[in-house]
Structure formats: C-alpha cells, structure tokens
C-alpha cells in the first residue's frame, strides 16, 4: 500500500485495486473507504507512521459497498474501535445480510472488471456487524462539517462527502481518473450510468477545488471544472 500526502490534513492510501483517504482534524482522524480485504493492518501501520495511534481514527465512512472499498472496514474497525458508516441502501450489503446487485456492464467494461477482480483477495471478507446508516443530507463531525451527498448510480447507496470549508470532495466511484491520461471520467461498473452522469453534474455544482476519487489520481485544482466535463460523458 502506498501512502501519498495530498494536503496537510489529507493522505491517499493506494491499494492494488482502489484507494482510500485519511483526513486529520487535530488529534482525530477519519478514514474514507477502507480498501479490500486484508487492508486493516496496513491502514493501522500508515496511521502509526503518520504519528498517531490507530485508535485516533474515530470513523470509517464507506462511499459504497463494493469489496475494494468496504473489504477492510471490519478489520480496521476491530483494530481502532472506529465507527463504520454507510448509506442505508448499501448498509445491508456491507453487513453481508444480502448479496449486492451486480453492475450493468458495458461490453468494454467486462475485461477491465475481470482484470481488477483477479487483484482482489479470494474468499470474501469479514463484515462489520454494526453499521451506522446514513440517508444523505447529514453533516458529519469532521473537516469542519462533512456534508453527505447521496449520489445513486454506481450503487443505489453511493455517497460523496463534501468538505466546503476546505474545498475538498470525496466522490467514491461516481467519478474516476483515467489510468491512461489522467482525465476525469464518470465511474465504471455502474448500476445506472445515466444517474452517474447526473451525479457528476450535481457534484460539479458544489464547486470543489480538490476532488478525491475511488480510482485514479485526485484533482487538486479547479476540480469542479473537471467534474462538469465528466458529466458530459
């Protein structure tokens, strides 16, 4: 796992598939997404290397239920005592009560998904028994007030997190950066691509300066313009 400093309060955690983010408020931290299964110990080591105890991470906010984002949540929660939060429409899949719906693949997405799946650990992952359910519209107690934005499309319960005081937006997999040229694009492997495009437009209207994606390099300047371009498909 690579740890990349983006802003004084913000670090990216890059896994073989997908990425997560650590946000710091004084002595407290928030983890946005948790990587695939097997990531819990590596996240704890990263927090320790940044000069804090893993127990300083108060919450794990999951942008959606997919394994490359939720697989490490229970592992790290067990190490840190952090609360796990997810949208109410994705929470049953995070807890493992129901199987999550499969994406509606475009033909060109299938080989990409097959390659990504080979990089994920086999055998499933530990599920958190307790998940605090969100509905969208909440303001969480980090980053000067983190606004929960419900952006269905990638999954029914996908969320973004907007920190208006800092101009930072966490998009989950609603938006991505292309591994080919770094351009900002709508997310892939979606349940409803039309809703994803609409969500990209809504996120652009928030006016973020920095946008942090579930896949691909973040945009750290004029992110709203890049998001508006992504909304055009």
């Amino acid at each position: 796992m690579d740890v990349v400093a983006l802003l004084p309060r913000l670090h990216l955690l890059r896994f073989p598939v997908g990425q997560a983010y650590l946000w710091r408020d004084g002595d407290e931290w928030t983890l946005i997404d948790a990587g695939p299964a097997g990531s819990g110990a590596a996240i704890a080591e990263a927090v320790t290397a940044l000069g804090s105890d893993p127990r300083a991470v108060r919450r794990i906010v999951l942008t959606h239920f997919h394994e490359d984002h939720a697989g490490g949540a229970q592992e790290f929660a067990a190490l840190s005592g952090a609360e796990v939060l997810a949208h109410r429409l994705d929470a049953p899949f995070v807890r493992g009560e129901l199987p999550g719906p499969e994406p509606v693949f475009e033909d060109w997405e299938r080989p990409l998904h097959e390659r990504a799946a080979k990089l994920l650990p086999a055998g499933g992952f530990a599920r958190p028994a307790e998940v605090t359910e969100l509905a969208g519209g909440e303001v969480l107690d980090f980053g000067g007030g983190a606004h929960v934005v419900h952006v269905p499309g990638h999954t029914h319960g996908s969320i973004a997190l907007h920190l208006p005081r800092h101009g930072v937006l966490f998009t989950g997999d609603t938006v991505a950066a292309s591994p080919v040229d770094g351009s900002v694009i709508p997310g892939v492997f979606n349940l409803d691509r039309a809703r994803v495009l609409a969500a990209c437009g809504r996120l652009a209207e928030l006016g973020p300066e920095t946008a942090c994606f579930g896949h691909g390099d973040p945009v750290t300047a004029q992110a709203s313009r890049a998001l508006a371009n992504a909304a055009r498909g």
Side-chain angles (χ1 to χ4, degrees):
M1 183 187 76
D2 296 327
V3 181
V4 181
L6 299 176
L7 297 171
R9 295 175 179 231
L10 177 62
H11 287 77
L12 177 153
L13 308 179
R14 183 172 285 133
F15 306 98
V17 179
Q19 51 208 29
Y21 296 88
L22 281 167
W23 178 270
R24 179 178 57 81
D25 291 297
D27 294 332
E28 294 188 1
W29 296 77
T30 296
L31 178 65
I32 297 95
D33 287 328
S39 300
I43 296 170
E45 290 171 4
V47 174
T48 301
L50 292 169
S52 292
D53 189 297
R55 289 172 293 183
V57 180
R58 303 301 188 199
R59 62 193 65 80
I60 304 164
V61 187
L62 301 177
T63 61
H64 61 293
F65 75 85
H66 286 159
E67 180 179 353
D68 54 329
H69 294 261
Q74 173 55 27
E75 297 168 4
F76 185 70
L79 293 169
S80 64
E83 177 186 19
V84 179
L85 302 92
H87 192 274
R88 61 179 180 81
L89 295 180
D90 273 19
F93 313 133
V94 173
R95 290 190 294 261
E97 297 166 353
L98 297 168
E102 291 292 324
V104 179
F105 291 110
E106 305 280 341
D107 287 343
W108 62 270
E109 292 179 332
R110 292 184 182 278
L112 296 178
H113 187 265
E114 290 171 2
R115 286 198 293 271
K118 291 178 181 178
L119 296 173
L120 293 172
F125 57 96
R127 304 284 187 159
E130 296 186 10
V131 177
T132 299
E133 297 190 5
L134 303 169
E138 297 91 345
V139 180
L140 304 180
D141 189 21
F142 74 94
H147 294 243
V148 179
V149 184
H150 184 207
V151 282
H154 183 65
T155 67
H156 295 313
S158 285
I159 60 172
L161 296 169
H162 182 217
L163 280 55
R165 285 186 58 183
H166 299 279
V168 173
L169 177 70
F170 301 95
T171 71
D173 281 1
T174 298
V175 191
S178 167
V180 177
D181 59 8
S183 60
V184 178
I185 59 174
V188 296
F189 314 152
N190 304 306
L191 291 176
D192 189 329
R193 178 175 167 80
R195 297 185 84 181
V196 167
L197 294 177
C200 290
R202 289 173 54 208
L203 295 178
E205 292 172 358
L206 298 175
E209 186 70 10
T210 298
C212 299
F213 314 125
H215 299 269
D217 292 336
V219 173
T220 56
Q222 298 183 330
S224 58
R225 182 180 301 177
L227 293 170
N229 288 336
R232 301 183 183 101

